[in-house]
Amino acid sequence: MAPDGALYLGLDSSTQSLSAVVLEAVGGRHRVVCELSLPFDETLRHYGTRHGVLPNADPAVAQSSPVMWVEALDLLFARLAEQRLALNRLAAIAGSAQQHGSVYLNDAAAIGLGALHPGRALAPQVVPLLSRPIAPIWMDSSTGAECREIEAAVGGADLLAQHTGSRAFERFTGPQIRRFARREPAAYAATDRIHLVSSFLASMLIGGHAPVDPGDGSGMNLLDLATLEWWTPAVDATAPDLRARLPALAPSAAIAGRLSPYWQTRYRLPKAKVAVWSGDNPCSLIGLGLFREGQLGVSLGTSDTVFGPMRTPRVDAGGKGHVFGAPTGEFMGITVFSNGSLARERVRDHYGLTWEGFSRALDATPPGNGGALMLPWFVPEITPVVAVPGIRRQQLDEGDAVANVRAVVEAQMTALVRHSRWMGVTVDVIHVTGGAAANRQILQVLADVFGAQVRRLHVGNAAALGAALRALHADRLDERDSLTWDAVVTGLEQPSPDRIEPIRQHHDVYVAQRERYAEFEQRALR
Ligand code: XUL
């Protein structure tokens, strides 16, 4: 049992913001005592990001700034120190980060990370440790050629998927590393360690190179799910001498190190444990309380994702989905859509609506939208792969604002059903998170399209909450007082979730509409 008053911090470095959730242990249970969030665009304007991404003339390129993430981390701890929290009782920290993004460090980092001066800001001290000033992120779709080369070199897409859980995907770290090594060989040669966003930020906290966990490592096209080691054929197919540049691997529940002197001195913090960080989707799995096969989660964030626990890795034969490691030590199936909140926002902005107006448009239109359909590919899409973005409409007038609002939401929810079937999960309950989960009308469409009850938690950021729960779990395990995941999840004191019930007649309309949507999608792809 965690000692009364012990605090556990979960951080989430997502595409658009850095967030924190703090849990306090009381009487063998735990409750949320603080939630904070720093949106990058508004808080750190000087980096010039838009929705957390650096501007680029090429729509296929998506990059962000590792220095910005570090500055956000410094700022977040400053904000935390201002809260009424007994941070001297901080027992452990764990983190979540957007997946796939990579950070390139030179050989000064191994020592430099442990020698940060607490009297000075963090960001300028990190600049000289980078061999590449930018980080490619998950929205990048510029590596099609590299994907095909890697697949060919290892013996085909299917073999790569059987080992790493996914065929080669543009945003995955391996293809991104290959592109960098080829286009900037000198900078690649000067790279001593390639981190994921998760292991990079964990390294900042412990003052040395942190390991990668199986959850985030499986988003690289480099990790063998059967052995949880780097898969040599993929490593060799990706870039020269890559093995020596990859971080160590460690279970998600391991302790990576202790909060380094920089943080202890600068923010008067104890030498808290830092658990291995993971990806945002694996962390959301725990934040939503999902640890048994058969459960399903949906995250409506910058990306829309649908995921669920898996006992043993069962790869998608259709090549759309992924198998990642889960924080429990088992696995998770996931399908990812890049046209999530950005697509909803584009439609909202195009028709000059507020989010209230967006919801009213959903109220004002019938399920099925009178047969109107949209393929909302505002940015290059991951599922199905659409390299050149474009909006397609069928029986839908562009001038009809309310019908376009319904069309984007129905398309997204239909795609979630269609492209998650490979997981073979029969659902009656969907656990939902992400910014758009605040919108009840969107959740009604989700419930109706799936024909399942939708449950929404009161903590908005399931990834940060999942990270905080992981910190608690890792700390107890480290103290040889291991808690089951059931106890970790059910021990969280929180108001009961909002429930949105599916409406039978609406579901029937959507079942009939699925085929038309599938045909429309197929035709557009041809
Ligand atoms: C997962 C993916 C996205 C990012 C978003 O494969 O690409 O969900 O993790 O942060």
Side-chain angles (χ1 to χ4, degrees):
M1 192 166 111
D4 273 354
L7 298 183
Y8 296 95
L9 168 62
L11 299 170
D12 173 41
S13 181
S14 74
T15 317
Q16 307 203 39
S17 53
L18 177 67
S19 308
V21 165
V22 182
L23 293 177
E24 182 184 17
V26 246
R29 296 176 63 80
H30 34 281
R31 57 169 192 227
V32 175
V33 289
C34 175
E35 283 185 78
L36 282 180
S37 193
L38 298 178
F40 298 134
D41 293 3
E42 292 87 46
T43 318
L44 297 164
R45 278 177 196 281
H46 46 288
Y47 291 92
T49 54
R50 207 172 130 56
H51 299 297
V53 185
L54 293 168
N56 198 294
D58 184 346
V61 170
Q63 301 172 333
S64 191
S65 164
V67 182
M68 176 180 78
W69 298 330
V70 162
E71 188 167 340
L73 196 62
D74 214 6
L75 200 57
L76 190 81
F77 273 94
R79 294 273 167 89
L80 274 171
E82 290 162 13
Q83 309 295 309
R84 292 169 161 275
L85 291 169
L87 286 173
N88 57 324
R89 301 218 199 101
L90 182 63
I93 304 173
S96 149
Q98 56 170 309
Q99 299 200 248
H100 317 293
S102 42
V103 182
Y104 300 75
L105 299 177
N106 60 34
D107 60 7
I111 291 178
L113 286 170
L116 300 165
H117 195 299
R120 288 195 240 125
L122 185 59
Q125 300 187 68
V126 170
V127 174
L129 310 182
L130 298 173
S131 57
R132 190 183 188 185
I134 59 89
I137 62 159
W138 68 274
M139 294 162 96
D140 189 282
S141 59
S142 67
T143 63
E146 287 78 7
C147 286
R148 304 295 84 79
E149 287 160 4
I150 292 170
E151 286 175 347
V154 302
D158 289 348
L159 200 63
L160 185 66
Q162 276 160 32
H163 280 273
T164 69
S166 308
R167 62 168 177 78
F169 276 85
E170 282 78 356
R171 69 191 191 288
F172 276 43
T173 321
Q176 292 292 340
I177 293 172
R178 182 168 179 79
R179 184 172 157 94
F180 173 58
R182 173 177 292 160
R183 293 167 70 106
E184 297 178 53
Y188 178 75
T191 300
D192 181 60
R193 189 62 47 92
I194 303 173
H195 276 293
L196 294 176
V197 184
S198 59
S199 59
F200 171 62
L201 293 174
S203 303
M204 285 299 140
L205 295 183
I206 65 171
H209 287 303
V212 160
D213 89 312
D216 219 11
S218 42
M220 300 174 82
N221 276 141
L222 292 171
L223 181 76
D224 192 344
L225 293 182
T227 60
L228 298 183
E229 297 290 343
W230 300 120
W231 188 45
T232 305
V235 173
D236 291 347
T238 298
D241 300 321
L242 177 55
R243 184 75 188 76
R245 292 176 164 83
L246 293 174
L249 288 159
S252 316
I255 300 295
R258 296 272 182 166
L259 211 47
S260 78
Y262 177 85
W263 306 97
Q264 292 177 45
T265 311
R266 190 167 170 83
Y267 298 111
R268 293 206 203 95
L269 293 170
K271 206 172 172 185
K273 296 173 194 175
V274 178
V276 176
W277 283 42
S278 188
D280 49 4
N281 293 293
C283 289
S284 293
L285 193 78
I286 296 304
L288 288 176
L290 312 182
F291 56 92
R292 278 194 201 102
E293 187 159 327
Q295 298 175 312
L296 198 77
V298 164
S299 171
L300 302 173
T302 308
S303 62
D304 283 352
T305 59
V306 49
F307 48 79
M310 251 187 202
R311 218 161 296 133
T312 51
R314 270 193 326 277
V315 174
D316 174 18
K320 284 182 292 215
H322 319 295
V323 178
F324 290 164
T328 54
E330 293 185 341
F331 298 89
M332 64 186 285
I334 176 166
T335 305
V336 181
F337 303 84
S338 38
N339 283 280
S341 64
L342 296 187
R344 290 183 284 272
E345 239 173 77
R346 291 277 187 96
V347 171
R348 185 201 64 174
D349 294 348
H350 184 72
Y351 296 103
L353 300 170
T354 57
W355 284 122
E356 288 72 40
F358 192 91
S359 298
R360 277 198 300 275
L362 286 172
D363 281 335
T365 44
N369 217 4
L373 293 177
M374 179 195 283
L375 295 172
W377 297 328
F378 289 85
V379 293
E381 181 50 66
I382 294 168
T383 314
V385 178
V386 179
V388 183
I391 319 314
R392 316 281 156 83
R393 293 181 174 82
Q394 182 172 296
Q395 292 180 37
L396 174 64
D397 173 5
E398 196 187 338
D400 187 345
V402 291
N404 276 269
V405 167
R406 179 162 280 280
V408 67
V409 175
E410 289 190 348
Q412 291 176 321
M413 303 308 144
T414 307
L416 285 171
V417 173
R418 174 169 162 70
H419 299 296
S420 61
R421 276 209 205 100
W422 68 272
M423 292 179 213
V425 178
T426 332
V427 271
D428 3 276
V429 179
I430 298 169
H431 302 257
V432 68
T433 180
N439 185 316
R440 216 186 155 87
Q441 282 81 358
I442 293 180
L443 297 191
Q444 187 66 56
V445 181
L446 177 65
D448 292 345
V449 171
F450 272 88
Q453 185 193 70
V454 169
R455 282 189 204 164
R456 173 177 58 188
L457 295 179
H458 293 274
V459 175
N461 188 326
L465 174 62
L469 292 169
R470 288 184 48 239
L472 166 70
H473 175 264
D475 172 55
R476 295 333 296 159
L477 195 65
D478 188 57
E479 300 291 330
R480 302 188 198 294
D481 156 33
S482 65
L483 281 180
T484 61
W485 283 105
D486 204 342
V488 169
V489 162
T490 55
L492 178 66
E493 274 175 17
Q494 57 180 343
S496 56
D498 295 327
R499 291 176 161 80
I500 292 106
E501 298 296 339
I503 299 169
R504 182 88 274 142
Q505 298 88 313
H506 297 181
H507 180 56
D508 294 343
V509 172
Y510 290 124
V511 170
Q513 185 172 284
R514 274 182 203 166
E515 274 317 301
R516 289 185 55 242
Y517 180 86
E519 281 161 24
F520 186 31
E521 187 190 88
Q522 286 306 311
R523 221 175 323 118
L525 294 175
R526 275 200 296 276

